[in-house]
């Protein structure tokens, strides 16, 4: 999949895909690698019969770049919604006063995305009861969430519009305009727009990952988590709680930061210097997909820690009536698939289950078409 420099089309990846559609080589069907002819037969498809300029047209565009970037965006839109939900659950669990979400405050900030993020957080936090011993000014991982998430929304919106434009455009070369009796040779196969957009997706995913990891750190630190035990261990000193989860989250964020280095500016000349400047959009888009999956894993990790924190704080106890109903409902959904960590156990399966719950809970409007088509209309 890395055999494209994002110019003259995604030649090598698309060549393999087109070859498979002809029934040659290999293809994947439901995760199984099969001879392409067998895969087509099982899928009820007939091999493509190519004629004229068909073969060139199928490999001479940036379809892989656009498709990978669109998949990354779709995943990140779900993760954006999960970030709102998890941030609200953390603030509710710790008893943070929601004053940092005051509409007047966010309107003064001047960024519509931050206003929308604050409104979404306030909606989720309706009914929360602040704890009397919380500091006046929360750590930035709580206090600055509307500003951070609002900026993420703006970046996802920009990337979405670029990707939508690319999916609706023609990246082949040359193009034939019969009505004008014109054969136009140019560079529509140069995937720079999506390359920039995909790098922006990677950067956005990384900062959302930074936020999730810091929120997890806040939750396991006994001097800042409202008196919960260190590492959320049910038996401190005898058990590790979610210590392994935090270590893995830290390592994951480090990997995300390395991969946030833009691919779209790593131009190298190739093809006898005919392609003397190239955008590397395919690599940018594939990296964005990987970043989105890492972020999903980080959110699953934070969800497991929140579930454990809720268990230890007695948030589900009938004696405690404080808590935002929407946040309580989220924690109950997670609790249905993740048992309390007592005693210690491997938590990788729990993280996957928690991530699946977050996917199910994500706003059904947080999809690619809705976001890109209506983003500009969603003004405060």
């Amino acid at each position: 999949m890395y055999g494209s420099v994002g110019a003259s089309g995604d030649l090598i990846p698309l060549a393999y895909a087109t070859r498979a559609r002809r029934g040659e080589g290999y293809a994947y069907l439901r995760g199984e690698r099969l001879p392409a002819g067998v895969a087509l037969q099982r899928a009820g498809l007939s091999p493509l019969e190519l004629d004229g300029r068909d073969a060139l047209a199928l490999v001479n565009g940036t379809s892989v770049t656009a498709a990978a970037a669109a998949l990354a965006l779709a995943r990140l839109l779900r993760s954006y919604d999960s970030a709102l939900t998890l941030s609200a659950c953390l603030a509710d669990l710790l008893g943070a006063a929601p004053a940092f979400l005051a509409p007047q405050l966010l309107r003064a900030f001047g960024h519509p995305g931050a206003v929308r993020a604050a409104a979404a957080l306030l909606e989720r936090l309706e009914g929360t009861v602040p704890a009397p011993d919380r500091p006046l000014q929360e750590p930035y991982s709580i206090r600055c969430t509307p500003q951070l998430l609002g900026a993420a929304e703006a970046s996802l919106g920009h990337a979405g519009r670029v990707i939508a434009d690319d999916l609706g455009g023609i990246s082949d070369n040359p193009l034939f305009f019969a009505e004008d009796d014109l054969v136009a040779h140019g560079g529509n196969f140069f995937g720079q727009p999506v390359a920039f957009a995909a790098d922006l997706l990677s950067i956005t995913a990384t900062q959302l990952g930074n936020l999730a990891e810091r929120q997890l750190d806040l939750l396991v630190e006994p001097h800042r988590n409202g008196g919960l035990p260190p590492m959320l261990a049910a038996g401190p000193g005898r058990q590790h709680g979610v210590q392994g989860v935090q270590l893995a989250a830290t390592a994951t964020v480090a990997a995300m930061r390395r991969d946030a280095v833009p691919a779209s500016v790593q131009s190298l000349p190739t093809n006898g210097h005919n392609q003397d400047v190239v955008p590397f959009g395919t690599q940018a888009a594939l990296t964005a997909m990987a970043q989105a999956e890492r972020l999903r894993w980080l959110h699953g990790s934070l969800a497991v820690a929140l579930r454990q924190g809720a268990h230890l704080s007695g948030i589900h106890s009938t004696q405690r009536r404080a808590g935002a109903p929407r946040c309580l409902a989220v924690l109950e959904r997670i609790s249905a698939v993740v048992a309390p960590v007592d005693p210690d156990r491997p938590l990788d399966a729990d993280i996957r289950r928690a991530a699946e719950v977050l996917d199910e809970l994500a706003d059904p409007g947080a999809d690619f078409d809705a976001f890109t088509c209506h983003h500009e209309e969603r003004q405060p």
Side-chain angles (χ1 to χ4, degrees), residues 216 242 244-246 248-249 293-305 334 337-338 345-358:
L216 176 55
V242 298
V245 172
Q246 191 205 15
E293 187 56 32
R294 288 166 175 162
L295 177 60
R296 181 176 179 271
W297 187 92
L298 285 171
H299 282 158
S301 300
L302 178 56
V304 168
I334 297 169
V337 299
V338 177
R345 65 174 186 273
L347 295 174
D348 53 318
D350 295 279
I351 290 170
R352 286 193 292 271
R353 284 191 288 267
E356 290 168 0
V357 169
L358 292 174

Side-chain angles (χ1 to χ4, degrees), residues 232-236 238-242 308 311-312 338-347 350:
L232 303 180
R238 296 180 292 105
Q239 297 179 5
H240 293 87
V242 298
Q308 180 71 357
H311 167 68
L312 294 174
V338 177
V341 185
D342 185 14
D344 289 338
R345 65 174 186 273
L347 295 174
D350 295 279

Side-chain angles (χ1 to χ4, degrees), residues 4 19 26 28 59 132 138 163 273 282 285:
S4 169
R19 185 173 181 236
Y26 290 86
Y28 286 89
V59 303
E138 291 285 348
I163 295 166
H273 285 265
T282 317

Side-chain angles (χ1 to χ4, degrees), residues 71 73-83 296 299 358-360 362-363 366-367:
L71 289 171
L73 175 65
R75 294 176 186 179
L76 288 174
L77 291 175
R78 288 196 300 270
S79 289
Y80 173 80
D81 196 74
S82 296
R296 181 176 179 271
H299 282 158
L358 292 174
D359 287 344
E360 295 167 3
D363 181 359
D367 59 61

Side-chain angles (χ1 to χ4, degrees), residues 16-255:
Y16 277 88
T18 302
R19 185 173 181 236
R21 281 294 285 117
R22 294 188 66 192
E24 301 173 2
Y26 290 86
Y28 286 89
L29 181 65
R30 301 180 185 90
E32 182 182 2
R33 187 174 186 265
L34 299 167
V38 175
L40 289 174
Q41 185 178 30
R42 290 187 185 178
L45 299 173
S46 300
L48 283 179
E49 295 185 8
L50 304 180
D51 190 16
R53 194 177 166 280
D54 294 346
L56 179 61
L58 286 169
V59 303
N60 205 38
T62 53
S63 307
V64 172
T65 298
L71 289 171
L73 175 65
R75 294 176 186 179
L76 288 174
L77 291 175
R78 288 196 300 270
S79 289
Y80 173 80
D81 196 74
S82 296
L84 287 167
T85 296
L86 293 170
S87 296
C89 288
L90 176 66
D92 185 53
L93 180 64
L94 298 183
F100 65 97
L101 301 172
Q104 303 92 323
L105 176 73
L106 275 301
R107 283 197 295 269
F109 187 51
H111 294 274
V115 176
R116 288 190 288 269
L121 289 165
L122 276 174
E123 184 179 6
R124 287 163 169 80
L125 282 168
E126 184 177 358
T128 192
V129 178
D133 54 352
R134 292 301 296 176
L136 175 63
Q137 295 192 2
E138 291 285 348
Y140 287 10
S141 55
I142 290 180
R143 190 179 5 145
C144 297
T145 49
Q147 290 82 2
L148 191 158
L149 293 174
E153 188 216 70
S155 294
L156 295 175
H158 170 73
R161 289 189 291 274
V162 172
I163 295 166
D165 287 345
D166 204 79
L167 289 171
I170 298 173
S171 54
D172 191 10
N173 183 65
L175 297 185
F176 299 83
F177 301 91
E179 65 278 13
D180 299 318
D181 193 25
L182 173 66
V183 178
H185 294 262
N188 283 9
F189 49 66
F190 198 84
Q192 193 72 68
V194 176
F196 284 152
D199 279 339
L200 182 58
L201 292 179
S202 286
I203 293 168
T204 304
T206 300
Q207 184 65 337
L208 290 174
N210 285 330
L211 175 65
E213 192 273 340
R214 289 292 86 198
Q215 289 177 334
L216 176 55
D217 179 78
L218 176 62
L219 193 55
V220 302
E221 226 289 358
H223 300 295
R224 299 183 297 151
N225 67 4
L228 292 171
M231 294 299 165
L232 303 180
R238 296 180 292 105
Q239 297 179 5
H240 293 87
V242 298
Q243 182 175 355
V245 172
Q246 191 205 15
L247 287 169
T250 303
T252 299
V253 167

